[in-house]
Amino acid sequence: MSGALKLAGGIPVFDSHFHIVDRRFPLVPNQGYLPDDFACGDYLARTGDMALCGGAVVSGSFQAMDQVYLLDALATLGPAFVGVTQLPSTVSDAELAKLDAAGVRAVRFNIKRGGSEGIEHLEQMARRVYQLLRWHVELYIDSRELGGLEQTLLTLPAVSIDHLGLSKEGFKTLLKLAERGVRVKATGFGRVDFDVKQALRDIASANPEALMFGTDLPSTRAPRPYRDEDLLLVLDTLGEELARKALYQNALSFYRPAKNGSAAFVSG
């Protein structure tokens, strides 16, 4: 076990953001980029030293609208894990119900990289999936672009934003959204252009329910990939009570996995 994870004291972790990359299933180059394989076994081996109690498999730009890989990953990882997928606005209610039964809990809008449905469909889809299934929407977006969406996001029933919003410019808008109930993923620390510790403190102070930690594995295209010290940073910065919220309690409440793994850790 790494020093960072020893110091984490065995606190459960619900990994709210990671990708599975498996070339048995369709991949679509994004701006010429395709990631290396990172299958379920690779993920469980990499996280084997943390007290993993579940997580969210997030569809990347390079997976576009493919659901087959995600259904396979969820079946492999088990009911403590959920899926975040990309869907066309024309998806049927029957398909949504099928995905929900398999463990999918959210629709992703990838404003940063593409591969998802267009932002013009955000409001309609967000209301529809929440009304039908209590799903939320997730946005991969640079916080510099949040100003134009702020009022819309505040009216939606359930929203999360990836990677602390990425940019210092726009962070004040992100903070206002967090105060009003938008969730913020404490992920991708190597992607941001600001002090992560201060951002974590500010968001947790604005709304203790907002932060949800994730590894962002395998950290595709990140300037600095996830490292185990990122987990320790959350604990050291927030203190144990708020860290427990960020590391697993907030995400378990938000994602509603079929099996709450916080009492029985996932084994790789």
Side-chain angles (χ1 to χ4, degrees), residues 206-249:
N207 180 0
E209 314 301 319
L211 285 172
M212 302 186 299
F213 172 78
T215 63
D216 187 36
L217 287 168
S219 304
T220 57
R221 287 188 276 200
R224 193 270 288 167
Y226 168 77
R227 57 194 183 203
D228 291 335
E229 287 76 14
D230 293 343
L231 173 57
L232 181 60
L233 183 145
V234 175
L235 180 58
D236 284 350
T237 300
L238 297 180
E240 184 169 338
E241 182 178 353
L242 286 174
R244 284 183 177 274
K245 285 182 172 293
L247 292 175
Y248 72 100
Q249 291 172 354

Side-chain angles (χ1 to χ4, degrees), residues 17 22 39 62 136 143 161 172 189 202 212 229 241 251 253:
H17 193 105
D22 188 332
F62 41 82
H136 63 274
S143 58
I161 294 173
K172 289 183 178 179
F189 295 172
D202 290 345
M212 302 186 299
E229 287 76 14
E241 182 178 353
S253 173

Side-chain angles (χ1 to χ4, degrees), residues 31-50:
Q31 300 170 0
Y33 173 80
L34 278 179
D36 294 333
D37 276 13
F38 190 73
C40 292
D42 299 319
Y43 171 75
L44 292 174
R46 177 65 181 84
T47 57
D49 285 341
M50 68 176 64

Side-chain angles (χ1 to χ4, degrees), residues 16-21 26-27 35 56-71 73-74 82-87 99 104 106-111 113-116 138-140 162-163 185 216-217 220-221 255:
S16 72
H17 193 105
F18 68 94
H19 303 288
I20 295 298
V21 185
L27 292 173
V57 183
V58 178
S59 289
S61 60
F62 41 82
Q63 282 147 335
M65 306 287 184
D66 176 53
Q67 309 303 317
V68 182
Y69 99 90
L70 183 57
L71 295 175
L74 294 176
V82 301
V84 178
T85 196
Q86 296 166 160
L87 289 167
L99 292 171
V104 177
V107 177
R108 192 185 199 206
F109 285 80
N110 193 328
I111 314 307
R113 301 284 188 192
S116 68
E138 302 199 352
L139 276 66
Y140 184 17
D162 293 347
H163 306 323
K185 289 194 182 183
D216 187 36
L217 287 168
T220 57
R221 287 188 276 200
Y255 282 102

Side-chain angles (χ1 to χ4, degrees), residues 41 50 77 83 98 119 124 175 179 183 214 235 238-239 250 254:
M50 68 176 64
L77 293 168
K98 172 187 171 184
I119 193 67
Q124 175 266 330
L175 203 57
E179 287 175 345
R183 305 297 181 105
L235 180 58
L238 297 180
N250 292 342
F254 198 55

